[in-house]
Amino acid sequence: MGISLTYIFSFEPSMIGKQQYVILIRLVPAPFKWYAFAQHNGLPPQTYAEKQEFKSMLNAQKRTPDEENFDEAVAQAYRAWTPTVAPPHLVELFADADTTTPSTPFGHLLAVLHSFTKRPPHVLPLSATLPDMKSDTESYVRLQNLYRTQAAEDREIFRSLLRVPIETELVDLFVKNAHGVQLLKGARYGALDAAPEKLSGSNAHHS
């Protein structure tokens, strides 16, 4: 994400209480201490006990009771050990797409999205939208800019993988909403008129 360790370790004690939970979970001393422990083999927390230990280490860095960003960090700590992968509904779409040749803009975009996830670090394009979180304005804007920069880079990589011309606006819209892409399948227009028994069967099934 472009956040250097030099930047993290330059925090004054007063700054820690203003940092967003995403930084506290990933980059402040508690996670570094965790991964440095030989018994953890460089792996994130695996068992319930290890996860509680990680949360305790994180919470121990709280300097004053009103540092609510640490409360957020503890509540969101599961993100430190949850694998970042494509959601199941997209994995199913990728599997279906692998068996056919793309013939529509959506099909081509889906194929490119699959190719994008095959590249390290094997994740979807980053959304430029930053969720609300406890932070001072300066730190929030800094992190927001980092998200936007990374999202723009991911969008350009996505475009470079396209093999057919597709409208820029459509590509941008698809990338922006990649995490929520779904495919709804229905019958071709007029198909039920030719086979009304299918419609009656469907109504009976749902009645």
Side-chain angles (χ1 to χ4, degrees):
M1 285 290 297
I3 305 177
S4 70
L5 300 187
T6 301
Y7 165 69
I8 297 301
F9 289 126
S10 70
F11 285 167
E12 295 292 334
S14 60
M15 293 176 63
I16 293 291
K18 301 176 182 179
Q19 300 309 309
Q20 304 89 341
Y21 71 77
V22 291
I23 291 180
L24 298 180
I25 291 173
R26 296 288 187 179
L27 297 173
V28 295
F32 278 120
K33 289 180 180 178
W34 172 273
Y35 291 113
F37 284 173
Q39 62 265 37
H40 295 146
N41 297 317
L43 297 174
Q46 303 292 309
T47 67
Y48 176 79
E50 289 180 346
K51 293 171 183 177
Q52 294 303 112
E53 181 185 359
F54 182 90
K55 290 181 179 181
S56 296
M57 293 175 66
L58 190 59
N59 201 45
Q61 294 178 107
K62 191 175 183 179
R63 292 167 172 77
T64 62
D66 61 348
E67 290 181 336
E68 297 180 7
N69 59 331
F70 274 93
D71 297 333
E72 279 188 337
V74 171
Q76 300 289 332
Y78 70 92
R79 298 180 184 275
W81 56 75
T82 301
T84 304
V85 296
H89 72 277
L90 275 180
V91 173
E92 291 182 9
L93 286 179
F94 292 157
D96 291 342
D98 283 343
T99 63
T100 59
T101 301
S103 59
T104 64
F106 178 82
H108 286 291
L109 290 169
L110 186 62
V112 171
L113 185 61
H114 192 190
S115 297
F116 186 97
T117 62
K118 291 179 180 179
R119 304 170 66 260
H122 308 292
V123 295
L124 297 175
L126 182 69
S127 170
T129 303
L130 188 63
D132 290 334
M133 57 187 73
K134 299 293 181 181
S135 172
D136 66 319
T137 301
E138 181 181 353
S139 299
Y140 187 88
V141 170
R142 184 187 298 115
L143 185 61
Q144 187 176 56
N145 288 336
L146 288 170
Y147 265 67
R148 288 175 176 171
T149 298
Q150 185 62 57
E153 291 178 3
D154 286 354
R155 186 169 58 249
E156 290 306 311
I157 292 173
F158 186 95
R159 287 174 178 165
S160 72
L161 297 174
L162 279 168
R163 296 293 176 263
V164 297
I166 296 179
E167 293 182 10
T168 300
E169 294 78 6
L170 181 58
V171 174
D172 291 349
L173 182 64
F174 184 90
V175 173
K176 179 181 178 180
N177 297 283
H179 292 72
V181 168
Q182 296 189 41
L183 177 61
L184 303 179
K185 297 181 179 180
R188 184 183 296 274
Y189 181 77
L192 295 180
D193 293 336
E197 69 277 3
K198 292 184 179 179
L199 180 61
S200 60
S202 176
N203 290 337
H205 177 73
H206 291 288
S207 60

